[in-house]
Amino acid sequence: MSNVDQTIQGMKAKFNSSAAAGLDLIFQFNITDADNYYIVVKDGTCDIQQGDSSDANVTLIMDSETLQGIMTGETDGMQAFMSGKLRTEGDMMLALKLGELFPN
C-alpha cells in the first residue's frame, strides 16, 4: 500500500458523519505523482474509490506530499492553495468543507 493509499484510507477513520448530514457531494483528488481517488459524501456516509469520477463537484490537484501534509495537519490547506501546491477545479468553496468532514 502506497503512502497515498494509506493517507486516503486514513481519511475514513477521521470522517465526521454529522458534518455530512444532508450532503451529496463528490470530491475528486488528482494526485500528480500517484493514483487518483474520489470520495463520495452522501447523507452522512463516506465512500472512497480509486480512479476518476465524471460527476465531481470539486477537483483538488496536488502531489502526494501536499496531500499527506494537509491530512496530518502539518500543512495548512489554504496556505498550500495560496502557494500553488494545491489547485482546485469546480466549486472551490466545497474544498473548505473538507476540514469539517475530515478533521485532524
Side-chain angles (χ1 to χ4, degrees):
M1 187 181 275
S2 75
N3 284 344
V4 172
D5 291 330
Q6 290 174 334
T7 301
I8 294 284
Q9 294 306 321
M11 291 174 72
K12 231 178 188 161
K14 296 179 178 184
F15 182 64
N16 177 1
S17 59
S18 61
L23 294 181
D24 186 2
L25 301 170
I26 299 175
F27 296 91
Q28 175 72 46
F29 289 82
N30 287 355
I31 311 302
T32 56
D33 58 347
D35 293 329
N36 292 344
Y37 289 85
Y38 62 95
I39 300 175
V40 179
V41 175
K42 187 169 184 167
D43 296 326
T45 66
C46 165
D47 181 38
I48 299 174
Q49 298 290 325
Q50 190 171 353
D52 299 306
S53 169
S54 58
D55 296 326
N57 299 92
V58 62
T59 300
L60 297 107
I61 306 156
M62 68 195 98
D63 64 17
S64 58
E65 184 180 343
T66 302
L67 172 69
Q68 192 162 2
I70 290 171
M71 290 305 147
T72 60
E74 292 173 30
T75 302
D76 178 67
M78 188 57 74
Q79 204 170 5
F81 178 77
M82 299 301 261
S83 67
K85 291 182 177 182
L86 168 65
R87 298 189 329 268
T88 62
E89 293 176 358
D91 190 342
M92 188 180 102
M93 296 310 289
L94 291 177
L96 300 175
K97 277 216 148 309
L98 286 170
E100 296 170 37
L101 294 169
F102 303 96
N104 284 322

